[in-house]
Amino acid sequence: MALEILGLVGGFLGPALELGKCFAKPIKRQFNYLCCFKSNILNLRDEAKRLEDTRSGLQMKVDAEENNAQVVVPGVKTWFNKVDGIQAKNTEIEAEITTFRQSGCFAVKSRFSLGKKVKKTAEAMKGLREEGDSKFPINIAQAAPPAAVAAPIPLGSNIFEFNSRKRIEKEIIVSLKDENVNKLGICGMGGVGKTTMANRIMHRVRGEHLFEEIVMAVVSQKPDRLGIQGVIAKQLGLELRDKESVPCRALDLRARLTAGTKRSLIVLDDVWDVLNLEELGIPCDSGCKILLTSRDRDILKRMDVEKVSAVRVLSKTEAWDLFKSKAGSCIEQENVINAAAQQVVNECKGLPIALVTVGVALKDAVDIRCWNHALDQLKSANPNHMSEVIEYVYNPLRFSYESLKSVDEKSLFLLCCLFPEDYYIDLEDLAIYAMGLRMFRNVGSLERARETVFFLVERLKSCFLEGYSENYVKMHDVVRDVARFIASDERLINCDDDCTWIAPYTEQRFGLHIGSAVYPNRHLLLINWVIDKELEIGDDFFEGMGELNVFSIRYPSLRRLPKTTKLMKNLKTLILDSCESLESISVVGELVNLEILICRECESIECLPIEMAGISRLRLLELSDCRNLKTIAPGIISNQKGLEELIVEVFDDWEAADEESRERKNASVSELEQLSRLSRLKIKIKDCRVAAGHKGPSPNMVKYDITIGDENMMYRFYSEKGFEKVLKLKWPGNISLGKWIHECVRSVEYMWLAGSDDSSLDFGAAHNNMRSLTLKECSAVKKLVNMRSSSATVFPVLERLCLEGLSELEVICDIDGPMQSNSFQNLKELQLIRLPALKHLWNSGISPNQQNVLSSFNKLSTIYISECHGLQSLFSLSVMARGSWFVQLESLKIWKCDMMEQVLLWNEEENQTNIHIPLVFPKLKKLELCILPRLTSFSKGIFQSVEFPLLKKMEVVDCPLQSFVFTTCSTRSPDDDDSRHLFGELDKVKFGSLKVVQLELLDEGRNSNCCPQIPIHFFDELRELKLSGFKSLKSLFSLSMTESSCLLQLEELDIEKCDMMEQVLQWNGEENQRNNGITLQFPKLKLLKLSHMPTLTSFSKGLFQSIEFPLLEKIEVQNCPLLKGLVSSASSDDHDDVSNIQFFSKVKFDRLTKLVVDESVEMGKNWHQFPIDLFTGLCELRVSGFKEMKSLFSLPMTQSGGCLLQLEKLEISDCENLEQIILWDKEEENQRNILILSFPKLNLLILESLPRLTSFCKGIESIVEFLLLEKLKIHNCPVLLESCVSTSTSPTGPPHDNDDSMHLFCKPNKVEFGNLKALNISNYDSMRNWCGRISIDFFAILCELHVSRLKGMKSLFPSSIARNLRNLVKLDIRDCEEMVKVIEDEEDDALQISLFPNLERVGLWNLKKLKSFCEWRCTLQLPKLAYLNIGGCDVMDEFTLGALNTPNLKIIYIDGEYYSGNEVNKALQQRRLKREIATQLQTNSLILTHVHDQKQLETQLEESSSAEADSTN
């Protein structure tokens, strides 16, 4: 009985206690507001201080990133706004606390209310602080996107908005939205603000998202078409394949701008004359709009600009407001200064450029005399012969010039006007010129000159110069014009008798011949001669130029320096830039006072002759890109005792430093030891033995970039850009490093070392300086750092560490002894590749008292591990828990580590500690775990949770996990095996912003039954999902997921190699009645790719009203033989009937632009049942493997008003029974006179492996229009009978010689090619005359021609067609077995024939019977041929029987071997002689080395013959 009573009491007390527990916490919290009032206030103030510290630190990071042109993550600003709000609230609470305490009364209600505010605010501050510490990565910004797609850039507070400008801007914006307007223009006088307005418009349309791509290029008075194309391409992120051909670059640019559906705005600034936009590759339609600025309205009209807006000078009020913002507050009061300022503004005539420069010059001037002086200067008479614009701004700018503080500023300003208009001025050029002119006082070194230029340029940027980048500036064209007038006034330029500077030296000023000098007092002469016309420089050119200090010439055709060069005894600086034909500079040896000698891209210079030893005062010697430089005479370098900088980039034939036993022919490394003042060195030494001696350059240099070994073998993960001390060594293991190299290692910042077995190399000496270290294939390295013997700081500034192929490396850091806390404190990137002996990153015995070790490595942001087969884990959980190593980690990639079982090492003793803590990777953005055959889990440790709040991309490939990511169950059975899941207790893994997921199984035999279980919340933020290799997976999504919001963000879905998948969206028969009226939506899906799934029948078998893909742009279906459609049209009773599934019957596409269908039998059978409107917006169509299809399109689809009007790319391949592209209906054709089959936007057509294709269309009177077709490829279509449009009504029967169908374009008037630029024809067994019936006009604009495997052809085309290929740039011929010559000879009595005026590249491959390019005996001219590659043409001994003129030929390859010079016939003869020698050597056992000189070959052949004769005797 007692037990029953106790049980009854317990039954009541149990729930009561549980109820008490529920109320305990809330009651305690309420009492806390009253009882802990003071401690809560102290806690609030502590949290406020800590939050402010976090805010300040984050603000510093934001400022640093913005200074580096990075884009700040959007969430940062939101966090700042929250902090500002709560700090304002805290200020109010502090005021309430002060009032409460001053009242002196104890009011319980007030105390409770205030205590609650204090507590809640402190908690909110703590939350914000923790969010700031964990949410934002150390790099809180990302690299800005390409300029064309970048976000709007703030215009800044210095950009004024004027009402007169706002109206014009609004009109232009409206016109940009008008679909009927393609070209717009802004006109107005120079300096009025056209460029500023264009920039404002670009900013506005970016903000309003009117265009996806916006680019801007400056045209200028002398347009550089290549430069304009390059600027536009760079902003678009496009790499132009051709470097020098405007037409070929235009092809790439046009293709890029017309591809897809992106809307583009092209802004062309400062147009001086009519510009052919189509020639540049800028389309005037296709969604591309063009905005031009010009001073001349008539030019814009002549360019067919539909809408021109004029920008005029500012009104008086606007001019005053702009001037006041620059001059400061001194003019705001009503006094004499204000009155003078009004007059100054009037004299500026409303021009913004004048108002700004004068305003800056008079900023905060409070003395009326300054203003009166300025007014007098502005009213003074202008120089004569000025344009209207210069008259407006001359006096204001002249006054600003006179107001500069120093002579150095004025001189540098005037020096900038020597450069061409809209030129990006290199600060290095300014420093070199200034040094030669002795422009700066008390500047005794080149480095000081650079520093001075940088300082002065920063000051000039406020009023005269525009900063372009850290090392370049630009001068407004109006400012430049005024500067040139000022320079003329000061007799620096443009003076007929006595000018000091001359630049640029142009044809218009001096003509095509320049003889003796007429300017005896000139100090600077710049010649920039890049036009095609030949410039003749007479030998008397430098007579009387004894005072010249600086001479710079850029002239590719200059063959020699004038004899009078030696008369320039005062010359300090000589720059030879791009003088590609210059062969000798021996005369320079007589310029005894020369201090700076720069030779850039002088490709014909082979030696620095002994005559150069006459110079002994050089400070800078630069030999850059002189690719044929083979000799630097001994003693030249060592004689330059005052040399400060030596740059020898291409020359690598240095001789050994310690070779005294023989007479040297070349410079030695030991000569560098004698250059005591050397502060900057850049050299390359190919032979490591040369650098193995003790003598070398001084290690005390300020900057050096030393490369030793074969640079072609130096693959580098990390760029050396931005480092001042660089050492790159590809060092063989059997040679010890030279002493001077060991000295350089002590100060090096960037080091790349491969192949060395030298164990004496001491990295410890470099710890304090090294910022980037790469070790590769160094077998002697077992430990990078060994800290067992002493306490020291290890690599405190190292930022990047890459260890690759170190076969003996066991551990990176052996840290058994103490290590300073600042060791590895800056390491951000770690790469470990192919380290088979590595088992630990550092020894695992970290004791608790080594907390300083845990504080190291706390800036690691990138870790990449590959092929480290000894690693079983990456880090220890004990280190992870006590340190901060992963706080900054953003990218973690682990590939091909065979023994790795878990990423974070766990042991059982740690579980009790870790069970209540979360495992957080607060800044990890990318996680890749690929091909890890033993990986069982991320970590076997037990945690409260595993969190990846910023993870954007996760890639897991071929890892042995039964479930890759999650389980959908909220609870688990005790029998569940956590080790079979990637993150253990999968319901505890948290992803905050996962965007991209890729899950793949590569090994077909491994985990064949693995099936990922993915919960709904996993897809909340997902943008891209790729799933591959899951054999047993039958579906991916459930219907419940489509009813929730978890797929709303999905943009790309890629599923492949899921053998058992029948449908993507799981269907349940019981749900059909409920779903019959439902519309299924994927609102943001842009790409759907389904491939290699043999059982897939539909996207879903469910009965829906429709499936909508409003943004879907691309569908790719490959090798899904049973796939017939996306949704079933069957009733609920026959839902298993595959025949009722239709691909597009209930599917809505609004933006479909690309459709790819490959090896999908069922879709091929039902192709003609697809609705026509499916193709309406299609831009790209690729079909392949349709075995039974006989035609692709119907006639209505290809005629005017049809659905193929937007098609740009069409590729058809491997369709065995395809007979024609367009189905010809004889009855329909008989009702019409002519059928016009139109493809108005098609630019690419590929027909490949179509064995029965006989014609494009069999209609007799069909006309096919390809008005924009640029590229045509026909491959392996044997029955096409060399015809795209057949005139035969019968597809069968043998062809006859008189049959028009025997020719590729049988009736030229039936096929219209308006823009064909690239043609590729291959794989024909009996092609004899492929172009016999083609109109000559067909080739008028062809740029590229590729032919291969045309077995019956003996020549490519007759000379009549060859003469018409005026735009051909590239010709490639391969595997034509019967070809004897490329051009068929025709009677021609001319002594000289010029063919292919634009041909630049020729390739001739495997033409076994080819004897010559042509057999003419006259002179053949190929004026632009630059590259020739001949391979496998064994009987070709002569390119042509006559003379060959190829002035621009730079590269000749024959059978893979490079031949210098431009004489093709000579190179072919050298090849023949080498073969003959090789034949002789087989019997004489001679050793043949690389011999390129024909005389040497002939000599060796004669000696070989003599030896054979002697042996016979």
Side-chain angles (χ1 to χ4, degrees), residues 1140-1421:
N1140 287 316
I1141 299 174
Q1142 297 182 11
F1143 197 79
F1144 297 111
S1145 60
K1146 294 186 176 183
V1147 185
K1148 295 182 180 180
F1149 305 105
D1150 296 329
R1151 291 193 179 185
L1152 190 64
T1153 60
K1154 179 179 179 179
L1155 176 61
V1156 177
V1157 185
D1158 181 14
E1159 297 291 339
S1160 298
V1161 179
E1162 290 297 325
M1163 290 185 66
K1165 290 179 181 179
N1166 296 278
W1167 181 262
H1168 290 291
Q1169 298 179 16
F1170 295 163
I1172 290 181
D1173 58 2
L1174 169 70
F1175 302 92
T1176 302
L1178 213 59
C1179 296
E1180 181 176 352
L1181 175 62
R1182 287 167 44 199
V1183 295
S1184 177
F1186 285 4
K1187 306 300 183 184
E1188 301 180 14
M1189 188 168 61
K1190 294 186 176 182
S1191 63
L1192 187 63
F1193 302 125
S1194 62
L1195 276 175
M1197 299 172 68
T1198 60
Q1199 297 172 54
S1200 179
C1203 61
L1204 298 177
L1205 298 181
Q1206 304 300 322
L1207 194 63
E1208 298 175 2
K1209 298 179 181 179
L1210 174 61
E1211 181 177 347
I1212 311 170
S1213 62
D1214 298 303
C1215 297
E1216 296 178 358
N1217 291 293
L1218 191 73
E1219 298 178 359
Q1220 52 186 334
I1221 309 300
I1222 302 169
L1223 180 63
W1224 169 61
D1225 188 336
K1226 185 174 181 180
E1227 295 181 1
E1228 187 172 353
E1229 181 184 347
N1230 289 336
Q1231 299 174 7
R1232 314 181 186 191
N1233 295 325
I1234 298 178
L1235 290 175
I1236 299 178
L1237 313 177
S1238 180
F1239 294 84
K1241 292 190 176 182
L1242 193 69
N1243 59 53
L1244 172 65
L1245 174 61
I1246 298 176
L1247 306 174
E1248 189 168 354
S1249 298
L1250 308 173
R1252 296 195 178 185
L1253 182 67
T1254 59
S1255 62
F1256 207 86
C1257 180
K1258 298 178 183 178
I1260 297 177
E1261 298 299 329
S1262 300
I1263 296 178
V1264 185
E1265 294 181 342
F1266 300 106
L1267 301 182
L1268 293 181
L1269 187 67
E1270 295 183 355
K1271 299 180 181 179
L1272 172 63
K1273 179 180 179 181
I1274 302 176
H1275 171 75
N1276 196 21
C1277 301
V1279 192
L1280 189 57
L1281 299 178
E1282 303 163 336
S1283 172
C1284 272
V1285 179
S1286 174
T1287 58
S1288 172
T1289 59
S1290 175
T1292 60
H1296 302 285
D1297 291 341
N1298 60 352
D1299 188 354
D1300 283 338
S1301 68
M1302 285 295 292
H1303 302 282
L1304 181 60
F1305 303 108
C1306 54
K1307 288 190 176 182
N1309 61 324
K1310 296 296 183 69
V1311 183
E1312 297 184 12
F1313 293 98
N1315 204 36
L1316 190 64
K1317 291 183 172 58
L1319 178 62
N1320 190 322
I1321 301 177
S1322 60
N1323 270 48
Y1324 281 88
D1325 292 336
S1326 59
M1327 179 73 75
R1328 297 188 301 277
N1329 185 10
W1330 73 281
C1331 57
R1333 301 282 183 94
I1334 301 176
S1335 168
I1336 292 180
D1337 295 337
F1338 170 80
F1339 299 98
I1341 59 175
L1342 198 67
C1343 295
E1344 295 186 19
L1345 178 60
H1346 304 262
V1347 296
S1348 62
R1349 294 187 289 279
L1350 306 184
K1351 295 183 179 179
M1353 191 181 336
K1354 294 188 176 182
S1355 65
L1356 187 59
F1357 32 54
S1359 59
S1360 58
I1361 289 182
R1363 285 190 177 91
N1364 213 53
L1365 288 165
R1366 303 193 61 81
N1367 289 298
L1368 192 66
V1369 175
K1370 184 175 182 179
L1371 175 63
D1372 191 276
I1373 310 172
R1374 298 171 182 261
D1375 303 304
C1376 297
E1377 297 177 355
E1378 302 296 324
M1379 183 172 287
V1380 178
K1381 51 193 171 184
V1382 176
I1383 302 175
E1384 180 69 35
D1385 302 337
E1386 295 179 340
E1387 293 184 7
D1388 200 319
D1389 297 330
L1391 298 177
Q1392 184 171 288
I1393 297 178
S1394 179
L1395 292 180
F1396 312 117
N1398 288 298
L1399 186 64
E1400 298 176 3
R1401 300 174 67 91
V1402 173
L1404 306 173
W1405 299 89
N1406 297 325
L1407 308 175
K1408 302 300 183 183
K1409 295 184 179 181
L1410 186 70
K1411 295 182 178 180
S1412 63
F1413 191 79
C1414 64
E1415 296 181 353
W1416 290 318
R1417 296 191 179 277
C1418 57
T1419 300
L1420 174 63
Q1421 295 204 41

Side-chain angles (χ1 to χ4, degrees), residues 305-367:
V305 174
E306 295 102 326
K307 176 70 176 178
V308 179
S309 301
V311 180
R312 309 192 185 282
V313 297
L314 299 176
S315 66
K316 289 184 178 181
T317 302
E318 292 172 336
W320 175 253
D321 291 340
L322 178 58
F323 184 79
K324 185 170 61 174
S325 70
K326 300 299 178 183
S329 59
C330 62
I331 64 172
E332 293 181 358
Q333 299 179 0
E334 295 289 340
N335 54 23
V336 290
I337 291 180
N338 178 275
Q342 295 281 1
Q343 296 182 59
V344 167
V345 170
N346 292 337
E347 290 297 327
C348 290
K349 311 298 183 185
L351 272 177
I353 193 170
L355 292 161
V356 170
T357 54
V358 175
V360 171
L362 290 169
K363 185 175 180 62
D364 297 328
V366 295
D367 193 331

